Amino acid sequence: MVNYSDDPKWADITPIPQDDGGPHPLAAIAYSDEYSEAMGYLRAVMAKEEHSERVLDLTEHIIEMNPAHYTVWLYRAKTLKELNFDLKTEIEWLNPAALKHLKNYQIWHHRQTIISQLNDPAGETDFIDTMLGPDSKNYHVWSYRQWLVKQFGLWKGEEGQKELDWVDGMIGDDVRNNSAWNHRWFVVFGCGEENIRDEAIVNREMGYAKAAIHKAPQNQSPWNYLHGIIRGSKTALSSLKDFALQFASLENPDDVHSSHALDLLAMIYAQDEDTKEKARQAFDLLANKYDPVRKPYWNYRKETLVN
Amino acid sequence: MSLVSGPGRGGVAAGLPQELSLYMDKHVSYIQSLDRRKDEREYWLTEHLRLSGLYWGLTALHLLGHPDALPRSQVIEFVLSCLHENGGFGAAPGHDSHMLYTVSGVQILATLDAFDELEARVQGGRLKIGQLVDIAGLQDAETGTFAGDEWGERDTRFLYGAFNALSLLGLLHLINVDKAVGHIQSCANFDGGYGTSPGAESHSGQVFTCLAALTIAGRLDLVDQDKLGAWLSERQLKNGGLNGRPEKKEDVCYSWWVFSSLAMLNKQHWIDGDKLANFILQCQDPQMGGFSDRPGDMVDVFHTCFGLAGLSLLKFPGLIEVDAVYCMPRAVTKRCLSK
Ligand SMILES: [Zn+2]
């Protein structure tokens, strides 16, 4: 346990106890442990606007105990700036802290501020790999990766290819990782908006999604990806009919391998007057057999088929 | 309001009966008990959320039809003690002001019909909250989005927070609504959902914030409603609960965000409401009160609020009507918004 009151280094500081804002029992104070002592010293240094090495130690100690306390991060960032502190050292300190507190977003914001001041992403992608190890869908980590890609142009040229290979590896590890699919979209179409009009890229990405669907036909992510490309590139839906038929067909209503394929078939059938009845059959199958939880949704879709 | 989880667990104590009911009295006493838990370490470790905790607890009590279960004057006193000179609220006395707690502060004062008390204590208080850094000053002039504090972290949650608080205060004209609406549009994704920033993965919580902000702005016409409704309804899992993203677990709080979003689109019926109600009821602790995120986990005030809000939106008997956009009693938002 760290103790400040017996530490000569802190002898000049009188800790400021919690001010509960007045006489109201709703916020009455009754704590006296390591955390409360450290907070008392923090209030004191904040009151005199001290920015020093020992403030970094103090904020580090408090963050270890309670990383979600946003005021502490804010004060630490100010102190780093005042001291002109070596930011590489700060990043080295942040790495294990981030691993320990996977769901904390103050850490990520802090990191983003520092990396953008350093203006150098070296080592960051390796660090992200470490972070995604225990939780491959961590929203903060993926958001940070997007920021990195955008900030340092990692979606272009050789770097862009590397990024694509990396996300391909992530999807290879878990084809149902929706965060990885979203990142692929971000790299290919989000950053390079003109790519949705590039036939070669559109075909490549459609092929990529289709291959993933073959691996797990009921997986939502590649279907969403495929629909996104179709809409964005204005590809005719009907060109996907043979593909959809590989997973679902009205001839074999008991042998449907993907409700998403059935949905796509219904969309294709709905476009043509002659096949509207087939679209109705597909929606009935979805409502009654393959996705009954969303029965009202499928019925709504059926009702929108105007005769 | 303590954010300590427990002591109970959702759904496991002594096993819930077949026919599920809502243990209203237990939930009231559970929330009342939260302020007596100051001897627990976690009470203090969650101090940075205190004001939001109070909002969750108070909202739950109002939905349960027990608005006076916490002493009104003490609550107001505490809220005002979190108010800074700059017009923003911190999570607790002595904490920096932040958008999230400013919104909670405004929501609590609105729920208690206490804007007059605010004015009496801080002259021009309403305008001060609206005008100064914490809301209006935090809008990015270039992109239209909002930061949570002077530190500059940006997220559609803060944009929604600004819309929520300013509309309750009758001060929405202080910000550039069109620009903010444009920013929301830039967060729309290829799958029909919305993320924290342009390109970020679709997420039910962010869908809620974007849709609610667009509802307040009167711009739901900008939404691809069928596509988003489909994505939202895909969040329901076989056990009736709703999740936040594809391939993630169900959770009571996501159930609220998804279901309230469907309600804003008038598509509540696209999912199985009975199954959802059943899932939420299974997350109660029938003995000690409170709701957990899913059956078997510890209860907390956050999930208690969103569990009750979800049930209210499902028109569960005995509960006061909730406003899907604000997560506050409908009667309160009606009163504030008609002024
Ligand atoms: Zn939750």
Side-chain angles (χ1 to χ4, degrees):
Chain A
M1 170 164 170
V2 185
N3 184 305
Y4 294 92
S5 52
D6 296 336
D7 186 343
K9 217 171 76 190
W10 289 93
D12 59 310
I13 297 286
T14 310
I16 300 177
Q18 168 83 9
D19 166 21
D20 66 356
H24 37 81
L26 269 175
I29 296 315
Y31 67 125
S32 60
D33 59 3
E34 188 179 356
Y35 179 69
S36 83
E37 192 199 26
M39 285 301 295
Y41 279 83
L42 179 71
R43 277 180 219 106
V45 294
M46 283 175 70
K48 60 192 274 265
E49 290 181 53
E50 174 180 326
H51 296 289
S52 60
E53 292 268 355
R54 72 176 178 182
V55 167
L56 292 181
D57 293 341
L58 176 64
T59 52
E60 178 175 340
H61 180 214
I62 295 171
I63 285 166
E64 265 168 29
M65 291 186 281
N66 189 11
H69 196 313
Y70 59 97
T71 295
V72 184
W73 285 102
L74 186 55
Y75 199 67
R76 184 176 177 90
K78 276 184 197 152
T79 304
L80 290 171
K81 208 170 171 193
E82 291 292 324
L83 292 180
N84 223 343
F85 192 78
D86 175 36
L87 297 177
K88 293 250 183 218
T89 311
E90 180 69 0
I91 287 292
E92 275 164 33
W93 169 73
L94 267 181
N95 288 356
L99 262 171
K100 234 170 102 183
H101 307 288
L102 289 173
K103 299 277 179 195
N104 177 285
Y105 61 71
Q106 274 86 5
I107 290 184
W108 291 100
H109 189 69
H110 191 70
R111 189 175 194 98
Q112 198 170 307
T113 312
I114 289 163
I115 293 295
S116 80
Q117 279 170 24
L118 278 170
N119 198 24
D120 177 11
E124 288 306 280
T125 54
D126 288 343
F127 174 69
I128 286 172
D129 282 341
T130 320
M131 284 299 294
L132 290 175
D135 177 8
S136 65
K137 298 173 184 176
N138 187 309
Y139 202 90
H140 306 306
V141 182
W142 285 101
S143 300
Y144 179 66
R145 180 107 188 180
Q146 288 194 346
W147 174 81
L148 212 60
V149 166
K150 196 125 210 184
Q151 179 84 1
F152 296 101
L154 305 182
W155 50 279
K156 289 178 284 202
E158 219 173 282
E159 293 291 338
Q161 190 54 48
K162 264 175 41 196
E163 191 65 14
L164 218 52
D165 291 344
W166 175 78
V167 76
D168 176 48
M170 291 303 294
I171 292 173
D173 288 346
D174 175 9
V175 75
R176 296 176 188 272
N177 187 338
N178 194 61
S179 307
W181 281 98
N182 184 70
H183 192 72
R184 188 171 182 100
W185 181 278
F186 178 77
V187 174
V188 178
F189 299 116
C191 294
E193 281 173 23
E194 65 288 349
N195 285 346
I196 198 73
R197 290 181 293 278
D198 183 323
E199 209 184 313
I201 292 175
V202 164
N203 285 334
R204 182 192 74 198
E205 292 305 306
M206 290 219 288
Y208 189 85
K210 285 178 180 177
I213 289 169
H214 274 291
K215 276 190 210 157
Q218 195 49 36
N219 181 11
Q220 290 165 38
S221 302
W223 284 103
N224 281 338
Y225 194 81
L226 190 59
H227 278 285
I229 299 172
I230 293 168
R231 287 199 308 166
S233 63
K234 302 191 171 64
T235 302
L237 265 184
S238 53
S239 67
L240 288 165
K241 190 173 163 188
D242 288 341
F243 177 70
L245 283 170
Q246 296 177 46
F247 307 97
S249 113
L250 297 176
E251 268 80 73
N252 291 308
D254 293 328
D255 194 29
V256 169
H257 296 275
S258 168
S259 64
H260 306 296
L262 202 50
D263 182 11
L264 174 57
L265 271 184
M267 288 165 80
I268 294 168
Y269 290 143
Q271 288 180 326
D272 200 329
E273 206 53 57
D274 299 339
T275 50
K276 277 216 169 141
E277 188 45 42
K278 285 187 167 182
R280 247 175 232 113
Q281 284 173 33
F283 285 132
D284 281 339
L285 270 178
L286 285 161
N288 300 320
K289 188 163 176 156
Y290 290 103
D291 190 15
V293 171
R294 296 204 293 159
K295 191 178 184 135
Y297 168 66
W298 297 117
N299 286 339
Y300 165 83
R301 292 276 301 276
K302 196 169 85 173
E303 283 158 23
T304 57
L305 293 169
V306 192
N307 283 310
Chain B
M1 188 59 53
S2 173
L3 287 129
V4 184
S5 54
R9 278 180 195 277
V12 282
L16 286 164
Q18 275 309 85
E19 194 57 40
L20 290 175
S21 50
L22 178 62
Y23 299 89
M24 297 186 55
D25 294 345
K26 302 282 183 190
H27 298 313
V28 173
S29 42
Y30 166 71
I31 294 162
Q32 285 176 318
S33 78
L34 290 172
D35 269 316
R36 298 193 290 270
R37 298 179 61 179
K38 301 186 177 82
D39 53 337
E40 291 174 57
R41 184 179 163 80
E42 206 185 331
Y43 181 91
W44 301 105
L45 289 185
T46 52
E47 191 183 38
H48 59 278
L49 291 169
R50 188 77 67 234
L51 202 53
S52 295
L54 191 53
Y55 153 71
W56 295 320
L58 187 72
T59 302
L61 289 172
H62 275 253
L63 297 178
L64 285 162
H66 286 263
D68 302 320
L70 287 179
R72 181 177 184 276
S73 60
Q74 283 177 23
V75 173
I76 295 173
E77 191 68 30
F78 178 73
V79 172
L80 294 179
S81 74
C82 300
L83 180 62
H84 284 249
E85 267 305 299
N86 68 4
F89 288 87
H95 285 235
D96 288 341
S97 68
H98 190 282
M99 174 72 85
L100 293 179
Y101 311 112
T102 304
V103 180
S104 295
V106 170
Q107 287 182 297
I108 295 169
L109 293 176
T111 301
L112 296 175
D113 197 6
F115 287 149
D116 289 344
E117 276 94 334
L118 167 71
E119 290 294 322
R121 278 279 293 275
V122 184
Q123 216 190 356
R126 256 178 71 246
L127 196 61
K128 214 170 174 188
I129 295 173
Q131 262 178 347
L132 290 169
V133 244
D134 263 272
I135 298 181
L138 292 174
Q139 187 172 28
D140 185 319
E142 200 186 313
T143 66
T145 190
F146 286 80
D149 55 35
E150 54 181 299
W151 213 15
E153 187 192 0
R154 284 174 175 77
D155 183 325
T156 43
R157 278 191 308 160
F158 306 141
L159 190 157
Y160 162 68
F163 274 49
N164 179 318
L166 286 179
S167 58
L168 290 174
L169 292 164
L171 297 170
L172 204 55
H173 58 272
L174 292 179
I175 50 168
N176 188 335
V177 173
D178 289 345
K179 209 143 200 179
V181 164
H183 177 74
I184 296 174
Q185 274 186 290
S186 73
C187 295
N189 282 323
F190 65 91
D191 57 11
Y194 294 82
T196 48
S197 56
E201 186 184 0
S202 296
H203 181 290
S204 312
Q206 305 302 329
V207 169
F208 167 83
T209 62
C210 290
L211 269 192
L214 289 174
T215 306
I216 292 170
R219 293 309 308 270
L220 280 181
D221 61 295
L222 299 172
V223 179
D224 186 340
Q225 301 196 10
D226 278 9
K227 182 120 185 87
L228 178 55
W231 187 87
L232 287 165
S233 65
E234 263 186 329
R235 306 278 61 78
Q236 189 162 38
L237 304 178
K238 286 208 171 67
N239 61 14
L242 310 177
N243 66 9
R245 294 183 265 161
E247 300 293 332
K248 299 284 279 185
K249 276 188 183 170
E250 70 288 350
D251 185 321
V252 161
C253 66
Y254 289 117
S255 297
W256 161 258
W257 288 317
V258 173
F259 193 58
S260 58
S261 297
L262 283 167
M264 289 181 237
L265 298 175
N266 247 322
K267 299 188 192 312
Q268 297 98 308
H269 58 285
W270 279 15
I271 63 159
D272 188 327
D274 291 341
K275 272 191 137 177
L276 174 58
N278 224 49
F279 166 74
I280 298 175
L281 289 170
Q282 278 170 10
C283 295
Q284 302 176 94
D285 180 326
Q287 261 109 52
M288 288 183 284
F291 290 72
S292 57
D293 57 353
R294 64 183 69 92
D297 288 347
M298 302 272 257
V299 303
D300 62 64
V301 68
F302 177 81
H303 290 96
T304 302
C305 174
F306 292 118
L308 290 166
L311 289 172
S312 164
L313 205 53
L314 285 158
K315 305 211 180 325
F316 198 87
L319 291 174
I320 302 296
E321 189 190 353
V322 71
D323 186 315
V325 176
Y326 291 86
C327 193
M328 289 164 66
R330 182 77 190 94
V332 169
T333 55
K334 260 188 192 155
R335 186 189 70 229
C336 292
L337 300 175
S338 66
K339 271 179 191 165

